Amino acid sequence: MSCGRVCDCGWVLDEDSPMWPRYCGLRRSILKSPDNTSPPGARSKQSFELNGGFGTHVDAPAHFVVGGRTIDELRPDELVGVPFAIVDVTAACSRNPDYEVTRSDIEQDEISCGPIQPGSLVAVRTGWSDKYREACR
């Protein structure tokens, strides 16, 4: 395996994180805490309800393709140590917040950055991370 750079693309998830309208983002319930439990079992215990499309995540092929593989069917070696490509559609998303990536976007990216190699993990840069804490935008 070649050396590379590891980049944390995650965001902190909490009850104030923006989410799609009408969907629960994150709901946390405190079940136990050290101040309301007794030794030797004093501890913190929480329960979470989380929308699957919330925060930084990977969409498996089944998210978009009928009969596609689900996330548990993807092998770690398909996600780590593989070629990585970023298709940048920030400009289009700034003009249209409902923009959908097109084949043309990918073709233009390949003209600018070179071909996307087979087996690549492909990410899409939308620019929405700049608005992460601005749910109304």
XYZ file of all heavy atoms in Angstrom, residues 12-118:
819
model
N -19.072 17.411 13.073
C -19.683 17.076 14.356
C -21.188 17.009 14.158
O -21.782 17.890 13.555
C -19.332 18.149 15.415
C -20.097 17.905 16.702
C -17.829 18.156 15.676
N -21.789 15.937 14.665
C -23.240 15.801 14.596
C -23.833 16.114 15.951
O -23.386 15.593 16.966
C -23.631 14.369 14.202
C -23.122 13.869 12.864
C -23.601 12.444 12.624
C -23.567 14.776 11.740
N -24.832 16.974 15.965
C -25.549 17.269 17.201
C -26.977 17.659 16.859
O -27.364 17.686 15.695
C -24.830 18.351 18.031
C -24.685 19.677 17.306
O -25.554 20.024 16.459
O -23.719 20.398 17.588
N -27.747 17.952 17.875
C -29.156 18.254 17.682
C -29.393 19.512 16.857
O -30.486 19.729 16.342
C -29.869 18.380 19.035
C -29.951 17.077 19.808
C -28.730 16.799 20.686
O -27.654 17.381 20.446
O -28.853 15.985 21.616
N -28.382 20.366 16.710
C -28.528 21.605 15.948
C -27.979 21.502 14.530
O -27.987 22.473 13.782
C -27.824 22.753 16.682
C -28.459 23.037 18.029
O -29.706 22.976 18.117
O -27.721 23.306 18.990
N -27.489 20.330 14.149
C -26.959 20.152 12.799
C -28.105 20.235 11.793
O -29.190 19.710 12.041
C -26.274 18.791 12.674
O -25.160 18.715 13.532
N -27.887 20.881 10.647
C -28.961 21.011 9.660
C -29.332 19.662 9.068
O -28.508 18.763 8.963
C -28.359 21.929 8.594
C -26.903 21.924 8.823
C -26.655 21.529 10.229
N -30.596 19.529 8.690
C -31.114 18.290 8.139
C -32.166 18.627 7.108
O -32.714 19.708 7.110
C -31.700 17.443 9.281
C -32.144 16.072 8.885
S -30.791 15.161 8.124
C -31.686 14.013 7.144
N -32.465 17.665 6.244
C -33.534 17.865 5.276
C -34.804 18.246 6.007
O -35.083 17.716 7.077
C -33.798 16.573 4.495
C -32.669 16.151 3.612
C -31.788 15.146 3.870
C -32.291 16.709 2.371
N -30.881 15.051 2.852
C -31.168 16.003 1.915
C -32.789 17.751 1.588
C -30.544 16.296 0.715
C -32.159 18.036 0.397
C -31.055 17.313 -0.032
N -35.610 19.139 5.430
C -36.881 19.494 6.074
C -37.741 18.249 6.317
O -37.707 17.312 5.533
C -37.553 20.422 5.056
C -36.433 20.946 4.217
C -35.401 19.844 4.177
N -38.468 18.250 7.398
C -39.403 17.182 7.775
C -38.733 15.903 8.262
O -39.402 14.920 8.521
C -40.368 16.854 6.635
C -41.243 18.024 6.211
C -42.232 17.637 5.136
N -41.661 16.980 3.985
C -41.096 17.593 2.939
N -41.023 18.887 2.906
N -40.634 16.908 1.931
N -37.411 15.849 8.355
C -36.740 14.640 8.814
C -35.987 14.925 10.105
O -35.423 15.993 10.281
C -35.737 14.127 7.772
C -36.406 13.590 6.545
C -36.559 14.388 5.420
C -36.893 12.288 6.512
C -37.172 13.895 4.278
C -37.514 11.792 5.380
C -37.648 12.596 4.265
O -38.251 12.105 3.146
N -35.972 13.933 10.969
C -35.186 14.027 12.193
C -33.724 13.903 11.814
O -33.342 12.973 11.109
C -35.583 12.884 13.135
S -34.409 12.596 14.460
N -32.905 14.823 12.252
C -31.474 14.691 12.036
C -30.899 13.799 13.110
O -30.567 12.643 12.894
N -30.825 14.329 14.311
C -30.288 13.587 15.447
C -31.144 13.888 16.662
O -31.424 15.041 16.964
C -28.846 14.023 15.727
C -28.211 13.460 16.991
C -27.864 11.986 16.801
C -26.971 14.241 17.354
N -31.553 12.849 17.323
C -32.281 12.988 18.579
C -31.535 12.146 19.616
O -31.312 10.962 19.389
C -33.722 12.507 18.419
C -34.584 12.826 19.615
C -36.073 12.555 19.336
N -36.539 13.397 18.244
C -37.240 12.942 17.189
N -37.555 11.678 17.085
N -37.634 13.768 16.240
N -31.144 12.769 20.725
C -30.385 12.081 21.767
C -31.203 12.040 23.046
O -31.790 13.032 23.457
C -29.076 12.823 22.027
C -28.289 12.246 23.153
C -27.011 12.964 23.494
N -26.808 14.235 22.855
C -25.614 14.726 22.572
N -24.534 14.042 22.847
N -25.501 15.907 22.031
N -31.216 10.873 23.686
C -31.866 10.710 24.989
C -30.824 10.235 25.984
O -30.086 9.284 25.713
C -32.982 9.665 24.919
O -33.963 10.049 23.988
N -30.752 10.922 27.114
C -29.852 10.507 28.190
C -30.597 9.468 29.024
O -31.613 9.786 29.647
C -29.425 11.697 29.072
C -28.847 12.839 28.215
C -28.470 11.244 30.159
C -27.592 12.510 27.472
N -30.125 8.238 29.015
C -30.771 7.165 29.757
C -30.234 7.063 31.180
O -30.987 6.822 32.119
C -30.578 5.833 29.040
C -31.062 5.799 27.588
C -30.729 4.468 26.947
C -32.547 6.093 27.503
N -28.927 7.233 31.304
C -28.274 7.198 32.613
C -27.111 8.168 32.586
O -26.545 8.447 31.534
C -27.723 5.796 32.918
C -28.773 4.729 33.046
C -28.151 3.390 33.377
C -29.264 2.354 33.501
N -28.742 1.071 33.973
N -26.760 8.662 33.760
C -25.568 9.492 33.867
C -24.936 9.216 35.227
O -25.605 8.711 36.136
C -25.903 10.978 33.709
O -26.645 11.444 34.807
N -23.658 9.533 35.406
C -23.012 9.275 36.686
C -23.716 9.958 37.869
O -23.678 9.456 38.983
C -21.597 9.827 36.495
C -21.367 9.717 35.028
C -22.722 9.999 34.403
N -24.410 11.069 37.614
C -25.071 11.759 38.724
C -26.427 11.158 39.095
O -26.985 11.487 40.141
C -25.208 13.265 38.443
C -26.105 13.580 37.259
O -26.198 12.740 36.353
O -26.689 14.671 37.247
N -26.980 10.246 38.258
C -28.246 9.620 38.637
C -28.162 8.092 38.706
O -29.172 7.416 38.717
C -29.402 10.075 37.742
C -29.280 9.584 36.317
O -28.471 8.715 36.001
N -30.083 10.159 35.441
N -26.934 7.564 38.749
C -26.713 6.130 38.953
C -25.733 5.950 40.107
O -25.013 6.876 40.464
C -26.165 5.452 37.687
O -24.974 6.105 37.277
C -27.176 5.482 36.551
N -25.717 4.771 40.670
C -24.880 4.513 41.844
C -23.747 3.555 41.508
O -23.915 2.648 40.691
C -25.723 3.896 42.964
O -26.771 4.760 43.318
N -22.600 3.727 42.180
C -21.499 2.780 42.005
C -21.950 1.388 42.448
O -22.835 1.288 43.301
C -20.405 3.315 42.935
C -20.754 4.754 43.149
C -22.249 4.830 43.050
N -21.465 0.336 41.911
C -20.374 0.304 40.930
C -20.857 0.487 39.491
O -20.068 0.483 38.566
C -19.774 -1.093 41.126
C -20.953 -1.927 41.516
C -21.847 -1.022 42.331
N -22.175 0.635 39.299
C -22.704 0.755 37.947
C -22.886 2.181 37.473
O -23.566 2.416 36.483
N -22.303 3.148 38.180
C -22.452 4.549 37.764
C -21.834 4.730 36.388
O -20.688 4.379 36.162
C -21.797 5.470 38.783
N -22.610 5.261 35.473
C -22.095 5.445 34.117
C -23.036 6.329 33.299
O -24.154 6.600 33.697
C -21.946 4.098 33.416
C -23.273 3.398 33.154
C -23.046 1.974 32.674
N -24.253 1.265 32.396
C -25.039 0.711 33.314
N -24.749 0.843 34.593
N -26.119 0.062 32.973
N -22.523 6.704 32.150
C -23.309 7.468 31.195
C -23.813 6.503 30.129
O -23.071 5.673 29.620
C -22.446 8.549 30.555
O -23.172 9.252 29.585
N -25.087 6.586 29.797
C -25.676 5.754 28.745
C -26.663 6.616 27.977
O -27.509 7.279 28.565
C -26.368 4.540 29.342
C -26.882 3.575 28.301
C -27.013 2.185 28.897
C -27.429 1.179 27.877
N -26.331 0.684 27.090
N -26.499 6.627 26.651
C -27.336 7.451 25.801
C -27.971 6.609 24.705
O -27.463 5.556 24.340
C -26.496 8.550 25.154
C -25.803 9.452 26.152
C -24.927 10.452 25.459
O -25.333 11.099 24.496
N -23.698 10.601 25.937
N -29.071 7.097 24.174
C -29.755 6.486 23.053
C -29.840 7.539 21.952
O -30.032 8.725 22.224
C -31.163 6.060 23.500
O -31.950 5.715 22.412
N -29.687 7.098 20.694
C -29.704 8.029 19.574
C -30.684 7.579 18.505
O -30.801 6.391 18.214
C -28.326 8.130 18.926
C -27.264 8.649 19.833
C -26.499 7.792 20.606
C -27.041 10.008 19.931
C -25.515 8.276 21.452
C -26.059 10.505 20.774
C -25.297 9.629 21.534
N -31.383 8.540 17.910
C -32.163 8.313 16.700
C -31.491 9.169 15.634
O -31.260 10.357 15.825
C -33.611 8.769 16.896
C -34.458 8.562 15.673
C -35.895 9.028 15.872
O -36.279 9.319 17.014
O -36.623 9.111 14.872
N -31.152 8.551 14.523
C -30.350 9.230 13.508
C -30.873 8.898 12.122
O -31.056 7.731 11.780
C -28.893 8.773 13.643
C -27.878 9.344 12.692
C -27.670 10.829 12.957
C -26.553 8.605 12.848
N -31.128 9.917 11.304
C -31.501 9.716 9.913
C -30.284 9.209 9.153
O -29.192 9.752 9.286
C -32.002 11.040 9.335
C -32.441 10.903 7.912
O -31.631 10.687 7.023
N -33.728 11.024 7.674
N -30.453 8.183 8.344
C -29.336 7.572 7.627
C -28.635 8.494 6.644
O -27.490 8.263 6.287
N -29.281 9.531 6.177
C -28.663 10.453 5.235
C -28.118 11.698 5.900
O -27.897 12.711 5.262
N -27.875 11.614 7.189
C -27.484 12.766 7.994
C -25.973 12.840 8.109
O -25.306 11.845 8.332
C -28.119 12.591 9.383
C -27.856 13.681 10.370
C -28.243 14.976 10.112
C -27.258 13.403 11.577
C -28.038 15.974 11.040
C -27.047 14.386 12.517
C -27.440 15.680 12.248
N -25.421 14.021 7.937
C -23.982 14.219 8.123
C -23.161 13.608 6.998
O -23.668 13.194 5.962
N -21.851 13.565 7.210
C -20.940 12.987 6.235
C -21.172 11.480 6.194
O -21.140 10.825 7.218
C -19.480 13.287 6.631
O -19.318 14.703 6.741
C -18.517 12.733 5.608
N -21.432 10.950 5.019
C -21.721 9.527 4.901
C -21.419 9.040 3.491
O -21.143 9.826 2.591
C -23.180 9.240 5.268
C -24.173 9.846 4.336
N -24.522 11.174 4.373
C -24.881 9.300 3.317
C -25.407 11.426 3.436
N -25.648 10.306 2.775
N -21.477 7.742 3.322
C -21.291 7.117 2.018
C -22.648 6.575 1.580
O -23.317 5.887 2.347
C -20.274 5.952 2.105
C -20.203 5.200 0.793
C -18.905 6.468 2.509
N -23.039 6.899 0.368
C -24.248 6.308 -0.202
C -23.834 5.067 -0.987
O -23.023 5.141 -1.907
C -24.950 7.282 -1.153
C -25.779 8.309 -0.416
O -26.300 7.988 0.670
O -25.913 9.426 -0.928
N -24.375 3.928 -0.602
C -24.117 2.682 -1.320
C -24.848 2.708 -2.656
O -25.794 3.475 -2.841
C -24.595 1.505 -0.471
N -24.437 1.854 -3.602
C -25.141 1.812 -4.885
C -26.654 1.620 -4.733
O -27.429 2.196 -5.506
C -24.488 0.618 -5.597
C -23.095 0.603 -5.042
C -23.257 0.988 -3.589
N -27.096 0.864 -3.723
C -28.531 0.621 -3.530
C -29.307 1.902 -3.240
O -30.522 1.935 -3.392
C -28.747 -0.381 -2.390
N -28.614 2.955 -2.848
C -29.287 4.233 -2.586
C -29.899 4.801 -3.867
O -30.913 5.489 -3.820
C -28.288 5.217 -1.981
C -28.887 6.499 -1.516
N -29.610 6.607 -0.356
C -28.871 7.739 -2.063
C -30.016 7.859 -0.196
N -29.585 8.567 -1.219
N -29.265 4.491 -5.002
C -29.702 5.051 -6.276
C -30.084 4.000 -7.317
O -30.771 4.317 -8.276
C -28.584 5.915 -6.883
C -28.212 7.091 -6.037
C -27.066 7.070 -5.259
C -29.006 8.223 -6.009
C -26.717 8.155 -4.483
C -28.665 9.316 -5.230
C -27.519 9.276 -4.465
N -29.607 2.764 -7.162
C -29.751 1.746 -8.193
C -30.564 0.563 -7.662
O -30.177 -0.039 -6.652
C -28.360 1.243 -8.660
C -28.498 0.159 -9.714
C -27.509 2.393 -9.163
N -31.664 0.253 -8.322
C -32.468 -0.905 -7.929
C -31.593 -2.155 -8.018
O -30.947 -2.393 -9.038
C -33.710 -1.046 -8.845
C -34.459 -2.335 -8.533
C -34.627 0.156 -8.693
N -31.541 -2.919 -6.949
C -30.728 -4.130 -6.921
C -29.256 -3.874 -6.641
O -28.453 -4.811 -6.629
N -28.879 -2.585 -6.427
C -27.490 -2.256 -6.132
C -27.078 -2.779 -4.759
O -27.913 -3.097 -3.913
N -25.775 -2.859 -4.539
C -25.272 -3.352 -3.254
C -25.542 -2.350 -2.141
O -25.505 -1.141 -2.348
C -23.771 -3.629 -3.342
C -23.469 -4.823 -4.228
C -22.024 -5.220 -4.187
N -21.179 -4.125 -4.647
C -19.880 -4.014 -4.361
N -19.271 -4.897 -3.624
N -19.190 -3.014 -4.832
N -25.802 -2.897 -0.956
C -25.996 -2.078 0.238
C -24.639 -1.853 0.903
O -23.648 -2.514 0.551
C -26.965 -2.763 1.220
O -26.464 -4.059 1.540
C -28.370 -2.874 0.608
N -24.576 -0.937 1.847
C -23.296 -0.546 2.450
C -22.584 -1.729 3.093
O -21.361 -1.839 3.029
C -23.482 0.636 3.445
C -22.150 1.303 3.778
C -24.196 0.189 4.700
C -21.593 2.123 2.670
N -23.327 -2.659 3.683
C -22.695 -3.816 4.314
C -22.121 -4.795 3.290
O -21.346 -5.683 3.644
C -23.688 -4.539 5.231
C -24.912 -5.029 4.482
O -25.584 -4.204 3.834
O -25.195 -6.237 4.549
N -22.473 -4.630 2.036
C -21.936 -5.488 0.983
C -20.679 -4.909 0.331
O -20.049 -5.570 -0.502
C -23.006 -5.743 -0.079
C -24.202 -6.516 0.460
C -25.341 -6.614 -0.525
O -25.663 -5.595 -1.191
O -25.922 -7.703 -0.618
N -20.317 -3.682 0.692
C -19.085 -3.092 0.177
C -17.928 -3.549 1.053
O -18.015 -3.524 2.282
C -19.171 -1.565 0.185
C -20.265 -0.952 -0.680
C -20.250 0.563 -0.540
C -20.098 -1.351 -2.135
N -16.851 -3.974 0.424
C -15.675 -4.431 1.163
C -14.792 -3.234 1.527
O -14.698 -2.275 0.749
C -14.876 -5.416 0.323
C -15.639 -6.676 -0.043
C -14.762 -7.649 -0.841
N -13.850 -7.004 -1.781
C -14.148 -6.704 -3.049
N -15.353 -6.966 -3.533
N -13.248 -6.130 -3.833
N -14.103 -3.297 2.665
C -13.198 -2.197 3.042
C -12.153 -1.892 1.970
O -11.832 -0.733 1.742
C -12.546 -2.698 4.333
C -13.553 -3.634 4.919
C -14.201 -4.304 3.736
N -11.653 -2.913 1.263
C -10.633 -2.662 0.248
C -11.189 -1.924 -0.977
O -10.435 -1.481 -1.836
C -9.933 -3.960 -0.169
C -10.853 -4.949 -0.865
O -11.997 -5.144 -0.394
O -10.428 -5.528 -1.881
N -12.518 -1.784 -1.052
C -13.117 -0.989 -2.119
C -13.199 0.492 -1.732
O -13.499 1.335 -2.577
C -14.536 -1.481 -2.428
C -14.582 -2.884 -3.021
C -15.999 -3.340 -3.242
O -16.638 -3.772 -2.259
O -16.465 -3.254 -4.391
N -12.973 0.786 -0.455
C -13.127 2.149 0.041
C -11.819 2.769 0.533
O -11.721 3.982 0.658
C -14.152 2.174 1.192
C -15.538 1.621 0.849
C -16.383 1.518 2.102
C -16.207 2.489 -0.200
N -10.826 1.931 0.841
C -9.553 2.409 1.395
C -8.416 1.957 0.480
O -8.405 0.815 0.015
C -9.342 1.849 2.823
C -7.998 2.279 3.383
C -10.479 2.283 3.737
N -7.484 2.853 0.233
C -6.338 2.510 -0.603
C -6.684 2.406 -2.077
O -6.003 1.719 -2.828
N -7.753 3.070 -2.488
C -8.170 3.051 -3.897
C -7.983 4.449 -4.484
O -7.884 5.436 -3.748
C -9.651 2.608 -4.031
C -9.840 1.183 -3.535
C -10.592 3.556 -3.315
N -7.955 4.547 -5.799
C -7.878 5.889 -6.404
C -9.077 6.726 -5.950
O -10.167 6.201 -5.719
C -7.945 5.608 -7.904
C -7.565 4.174 -8.058
C -7.988 3.486 -6.801
N -8.852 8.014 -5.822
C -9.885 8.919 -5.323
C -10.040 10.076 -6.294
O -9.059 10.625 -6.781
C -9.468 9.433 -3.933
C -10.484 10.320 -3.278
C -11.728 9.823 -2.914
C -10.199 11.646 -3.000
C -12.668 10.637 -2.283
C -11.131 12.463 -2.372
C -12.367 11.955 -2.013
N -11.269 10.430 -6.602
C -11.544 11.554 -7.492
C -12.611 12.440 -6.860
O -13.519 11.944 -6.200
C -12.022 11.052 -8.850
N -12.464 13.743 -7.064
C -13.462 14.706 -6.591
C -14.005 15.443 -7.801
O -13.248 16.073 -8.544
C -12.857 15.720 -5.598
C -12.283 15.016 -4.385
C -13.918 16.747 -5.180
C -11.496 15.929 -3.450
N -15.298 15.345 -8.014
C -15.961 16.079 -9.087
C -16.542 17.344 -8.445
O -17.380 17.264 -7.554
C -17.069 15.232 -9.752
C -17.807 16.046 -10.800
C -16.474 13.966 -10.359
N -16.061 18.491 -8.881
C -16.443 19.761 -8.260
C -17.585 20.417 -9.036
O -17.422 20.807 -10.188
C -15.238 20.696 -8.222
C -15.469 21.935 -7.385
O -16.639 22.332 -7.184
O -14.479 22.514 -6.912
N -18.755 20.489 -8.393
C -19.918 21.152 -8.995
C -20.357 22.349 -8.144
O -21.519 22.748 -8.162
C -21.095 20.161 -9.214
C -20.737 19.122 -10.270
C -21.509 19.502 -7.912
N -19.396 22.928 -7.421
C -19.688 24.046 -6.526
C -20.356 25.203 -7.252
O -21.344 25.767 -6.766
C -18.392 24.528 -5.834
O -17.797 23.422 -5.164
C -18.660 25.631 -4.846
N -19.833 25.573 -8.409
C -20.389 26.719 -9.145
C -21.838 26.458 -9.536
O -22.711 27.328 -9.360
C -19.545 27.018 -10.378
N -22.128 25.270 -10.038
C -23.504 24.945 -10.443
C -24.439 24.942 -9.233
O -25.570 25.423 -9.317
C -23.536 23.597 -11.152
N -23.965 24.409 -8.105
C -24.805 24.365 -6.893
C -25.048 25.753 -6.318
O -26.086 25.983 -5.696
C -24.169 23.459 -5.849
S -24.225 21.717 -6.301
N -24.105 26.677 -6.527
C -24.321 28.037 -6.024
C -25.425 28.745 -6.817
O -26.116 29.602 -6.301
C -23.024 28.846 -6.060
O -22.646 29.117 -7.391
N -25.610 28.347 -8.072
C -26.682 28.913 -8.898
C -28.013 28.202 -8.693
O -29.076 28.799 -8.846
C -26.293 28.852 -10.382
C -25.139 29.741 -10.767
C -24.897 29.753 -12.267
N -24.564 28.450 -12.825
C -23.331 27.933 -12.872
N -22.319 28.609 -12.373
N -23.124 26.743 -13.412
N -27.949 26.906 -8.357
C -29.155 26.099 -8.216
C -28.971 25.148 -7.033
O -28.268 24.140 -7.153
C -29.408 25.303 -9.505
C -30.583 24.354 -9.384
O -31.275 24.310 -8.368
N -30.807 23.569 -10.427
N -29.582 25.437 -5.891
C -29.382 24.596 -4.709
C -29.899 23.169 -4.877
O -29.535 22.286 -4.114
C -30.137 25.327 -3.605
C -31.064 26.251 -4.297
C -30.461 26.569 -5.629
N -30.715 22.912 -5.901
C -31.230 21.569 -6.169
C -30.489 20.901 -7.321
O -30.978 19.940 -7.917
C -32.730 21.624 -6.490
C -33.547 22.079 -5.300
O -33.236 21.645 -4.174
O -34.493 22.866 -5.493
N -29.286 21.399 -7.627
C -28.525 20.889 -8.766
C -28.248 19.395 -8.630
O -27.941 18.901 -7.548
C -27.197 21.639 -8.896
C -26.453 21.270 -10.140
C -26.834 21.791 -11.366
C -25.387 20.378 -10.090
C -26.170 21.430 -12.525
C -24.713 20.017 -11.244
C -25.109 20.544 -12.454
O -24.451 20.191 -13.597
N -28.369 18.686 -9.739
C -28.054 17.258 -9.796
C -26.865 17.060 -10.728
O -26.838 17.593 -11.841
C -29.250 16.464 -10.306
C -30.445 16.534 -9.373
C -31.650 15.769 -9.899
O -31.514 14.985 -10.872
O -32.735 15.954 -9.325
N -25.889 16.295 -10.265
C -24.688 16.029 -11.059
C -25.090 15.315 -12.346
O -25.929 14.415 -12.339
C -23.692 15.161 -10.263
C -22.457 14.848 -11.096
C -23.300 15.851 -8.978
N -24.453 15.732 -13.450
C -24.756 15.151 -14.760
C -23.545 14.404 -15.318
O -22.410 14.578 -14.843
C -25.153 16.241 -15.764
O -24.000 17.081 -15.992
C -26.318 17.088 -15.255
N -23.792 13.620 -16.318
C -22.700 12.943 -17.034
C -21.722 13.988 -17.574
O -20.508 13.801 -17.545
C -23.260 12.104 -18.178
C -22.178 11.460 -19.021
C -22.796 10.675 -20.158
N -23.395 9.480 -19.632
C -22.923 8.262 -19.833
N -21.857 8.091 -20.562
N -23.525 7.224 -19.316
N -22.249 15.100 -18.048
C -21.403 16.169 -18.576
C -20.445 16.710 -17.504
O -19.293 17.025 -17.803
C -22.281 17.299 -19.131
O -21.481 18.366 -19.565
N -20.925 16.833 -16.259
C -20.046 17.286 -15.173
C -18.856 16.348 -15.023
O -17.715 16.790 -14.849
C -20.808 17.328 -13.837
C -21.888 18.391 -13.796
O -21.665 19.496 -14.320
O -22.959 18.106 -13.216
N -19.122 15.064 -15.069
C -18.057 14.075 -14.916
C -17.111 14.132 -16.112
O -15.887 14.114 -15.956
C -18.657 12.666 -14.724
C -19.438 12.647 -13.400
C -17.569 11.594 -14.743
C -20.322 11.448 -13.198
N -17.667 14.249 -17.314
C -16.838 14.339 -18.516
C -15.963 15.597 -18.481
O -14.780 15.556 -18.831
C -17.711 14.309 -19.761
C -18.358 12.949 -19.981
C -19.452 12.950 -21.041
O -19.904 14.045 -21.468
O -19.877 11.840 -21.434
N -16.532 16.735 -18.039
C -15.752 17.981 -17.932
C -14.643 17.837 -16.885
O -13.536 18.317 -17.085
C -16.668 19.149 -17.580
C -17.528 19.622 -18.717
C -16.692 20.074 -19.905
O -16.843 19.544 -20.995
N -15.817 21.029 -19.713
N -14.949 17.162 -15.778
C -13.946 16.933 -14.746
C -12.789 16.104 -15.308
O -11.624 16.388 -15.039
C -14.574 16.224 -13.545
C -13.571 15.995 -12.438
O -13.335 16.939 -11.670
O -13.009 14.880 -12.359
N -13.111 15.109 -16.095
C -12.057 14.266 -16.673
C -11.213 15.037 -17.682
O -10.013 14.794 -17.800
C -12.660 13.009 -17.301
C -13.191 12.048 -16.255
C -13.637 10.730 -16.830
O -14.486 10.725 -17.754
O -13.134 9.699 -16.357
N -11.811 15.975 -18.387
C -11.043 16.824 -19.300
C -10.071 17.684 -18.499
O -8.906 17.837 -18.853
C -11.982 17.698 -20.162
C -12.727 16.822 -21.168
C -11.213 18.816 -20.858
C -13.875 17.525 -21.887
N -10.548 18.232 -17.375
C -9.720 19.123 -16.550
C -8.691 18.374 -15.706
O -7.564 18.840 -15.554
C -10.599 19.924 -15.589
O -11.519 20.709 -16.288
N -9.080 17.230 -15.136
C -8.240 16.567 -14.130
C -7.702 15.213 -14.559
O -6.951 14.590 -13.820
C -9.044 16.385 -12.842
S -9.645 17.936 -12.163
N -8.106 14.748 -15.713
C -7.679 13.428 -16.171
C -8.766 12.397 -15.908
O -9.696 12.637 -15.140
N -8.629 11.244 -16.549
C -9.665 10.212 -16.434
C -9.812 9.691 -15.005
O -8.835 9.579 -14.274
C -9.187 9.095 -17.357
C -7.989 9.589 -18.069
C -7.539 10.850 -17.426
N -11.041 9.387 -14.640
C -11.301 8.728 -13.358
C -10.980 7.255 -13.570
O -11.537 6.605 -14.454
C -12.763 8.934 -12.914
C -13.024 10.426 -12.674
C -13.070 8.113 -11.667
C -14.472 10.776 -12.371
N -10.075 6.747 -12.758
C -9.623 5.367 -12.907
C -10.696 4.372 -12.473
O -11.453 4.652 -11.541
C -8.369 5.140 -12.064
C -7.203 6.017 -12.442
C -6.034 5.830 -11.480
O -5.760 4.724 -11.040
N -5.367 6.922 -11.143
N -10.770 3.224 -13.124
C -11.702 2.180 -12.684
C -11.447 1.829 -11.215
O -10.294 1.792 -10.774
C -11.378 0.989 -13.591
C -10.743 1.604 -14.803
C -10.001 2.815 -14.298
